[in-house]
Amino acid sequence: MMNDGRPFGLYIDGRFQPASTGRTIRIENPKDRSHLADVAEGDETDIDLAIDAAERAGKIWAATPGAVRGDIMHRAGELLAKELPDLVTIEVDQIGRARREMTAQLGRLPEWFRYFGAVARTHEDTVPPFGGKFLNYTRRVPLGVVGHVTPWNHPLLILTKKIAPSMAAGNTMVVKPSELAPITPLLLGDIFKEAGVPDGVYNVVPGYGATAGKALTSSKRIKKIDLTGGTETGKMVASIAGANLTKVAAELGGKAAVIMFDDTPIERGVAAALFASFIATGQTCVQGARLLVQRSVHDAVVAELVRRTNMIRIGNPQDMATQMGPLVSARQRELTERYVKIGLEEGATLAAGGKRPNGKLFENGYYHQPTIFTNVTGSMRIAQEEIFGPVVVVIPFDTEEEAIALSNGTEFGLATSIWTRDVTRAHRVAHRLESGIVWINDHHRIDPCSPWGGFKMSGIGRENGLIAYEEYTQIQNVIVNLSDEPFDWYADDGQEKRYS
Ligand code: TXE
């Protein structure tokens, strides 16, 4: 699948082709900075070509019955399942995430094609009660060509969350994947082709945000931009798209809290915190970045958390025994290091990690130890800002009220987990959280049927679930006058006129 060392082209109209710039992007392996592949670097001209292809394909795909689109998507899911081992290998090489995590994550991708394939087949429109002599019905019709701008942290999962509902709804798409991880999104092209997706429905133009990304998001021909990325990028893209009245969905930053009440068994709570905080080397929007612990168990939780954190096995991410790989890039590691410094300057206590690991294996990669700060207050920068690395801050609380205030006390509102055995408290707290996703006694769980997205500065719109499908459609309302009675508004007959 690695193209025998040749550069990967852009994927437009069902075939790989060179970029108009003639340039390529060097993709490196974050575990040792070795050269992984070169990928064509697209710009505005290529985005335009991709939109041309998508507009042509839209005429066919939008007219394809939902049941047929559903069958094709099911086939795509099956073909994807067969390719997973190779895709996992490439995904691990691109972003450095531990193979055992990537295997678990990508293993679920076919479910998105099955779920949204089924939605394409079964979605029903409505017949609102207009009353009187009218039949009134709605039709959900595709938007047209949509743009997906995706990040590097879960290259295939995040892309799949966008492709599956947009394809099911009959749209065609142009994808601008992250410049750090464009290979697996390109490879999906062949899988869709084999499944029977018409050429031009799925197009991928790798490139940089400021060039290809900007061209895509500012095109008047794009009917919806669906972006996952940083909050600053989201604001910029939304303002550009707004000028064209292009719909925007954005899944942005987060600072998820893990709220641990004192009836949670210590071992269970600590296992939960490790899972919430450190998978994906902390580079995930729903990372449990803040551990809020009830004061009576705080010291015991911290002691066990530090002990278990120091045991996390960092190493070659392709090794199934490795529990934590490197960060994705020099920039992401610098960000982590910058925040470690900020935390120390703010007076927090470094309870674990805080450095690059020692050893030959780590010399050239972007590794960083899993890190815990204690003696943190809710207003510190390390408790407020998204770090997007393997850093967790621990904050004690006394009461339920205080836990809710701390949890809600950032500009973000993506996800929160609540850990307690008390069922009434769990729901009571959940209902007061300013958080698009709430887990009770769990974290990170996702499903194609389950709406995903944030409150506040964590974004707009929702991925997953029927709402994702609906947000990739526009409603056409058809109002039928069932009466044959003559109607003449301007008849000069002195009769009272009615609208209904
Ligand atoms: O993301 P960017 P970066 C957060 C996280 C991270 C920070 C920066 O805090 O440290 O963002 O990461 C494209 N017009 N998240 O720089 O830049 C870009 O090319 C159009 C959270 O990697 O937001 C890429 O394809 N497109 C997040 C995508 O946007 C533009 C996941 C995301 O990149 C653009 C990633 C522009 N002007 C980072 N500028 C999450 N929610 O999970 C950039 N892009």
Side-chain angles (χ1 to χ4, degrees), residues 149-150 152-153 176 179 209 213 230 233 251-252 285 331-332 386:
V149 181
T150 56
W152 43 264
N153 57 336
K176 206 300 282 173
E179 51 273 36
T233 309
E251 210 271 46
L252 307 172
C285 49
R331 180 169 172 269
Q332 285 306 126
E386 184 173 54

Side-chain angles (χ1 to χ4, degrees), residues 260 265-275 300-302 304-305 308:
M260 199 176 295
I266 303 288
E267 265 177 35
R268 184 164 186 213
V270 168
L274 292 168
F275 176 59
V301 167
V302 166
E304 181 60 4
L305 183 65
R308 292 284 315 271

Side-chain angles (χ1 to χ4, degrees), residues 104-105 108-109 111-112 154 157-158 160-161 251 275 284-286 437 439 442-453 463-465:
Q105 184 178 82
R108 302 221 29 220
L109 296 188
E111 293 174 41
W112 265 261
H154 313 290
L157 173 67
I158 289 174
T160 297
K161 285 195 286 174
E251 210 271 46
F275 176 59
T284 179
C285 49
V286 294
I437 305 156
W439 296 283
D442 218 322
H443 202 100
H444 285 305
R445 301 298 171 184
I446 187 169
D447 193 274
C449 76
S450 179
W452 180 278
E463 295 177 324
N464 299 342

Side-chain angles (χ1 to χ4, degrees), residues 446-489:
I446 187 169
D447 193 274
C449 76
S450 179
W452 180 278
F455 288 8
K456 301 188 322 193
M457 296 309 273
S458 288
I460 36 179
R462 289 293 178 272
E463 295 177 324
N464 299 342
L466 286 180
I467 187 170
Y469 171 87
E470 288 169 356
E471 286 187 358
Y472 269 104
T473 64
Q474 50 194 335
I475 291 183
Q476 183 183 61
N477 192 187
V478 182
I479 302 158
V480 191
N481 182 352
L482 297 176
S483 166
D484 285 333
E485 270 175 42
F487 172 77
D488 184 354
W489 186 264

Side-chain angles (χ1 to χ4, degrees), residues 234-314:
K235 287 187 205 169
M236 201 156 33
V237 163
S239 69
I240 294 172
N244 297 327
L245 294 184
T246 301
K247 276 166 80 103
V248 176
E251 210 271 46
L252 307 172
K255 192 77 179 176
V258 173
I259 305 175
M260 199 176 295
F261 287 96
D262 61 6
D263 56 350
T264 308
I266 303 288
E267 265 177 35
R268 184 164 186 213
V270 168
L274 292 168
F275 176 59
S277 305
F278 294 135
I279 70 167
T281 320
Q283 302 163 112
T284 179
C285 49
V286 294
Q287 179 211 20
R290 298 178 295 150
L291 176 59
L292 312 182
V293 191
Q294 204 151 22
R295 201 176 301 275
S296 51
V297 291
H298 173 271
D299 293 355
V301 167
V302 166
E304 181 60 4
L305 183 65
V306 168
R307 189 184 75 79
R308 292 284 315 271
T309 297
N310 288 332
M311 288 167 60
I312 290 177
R313 204 176 305 110
I314 311 175

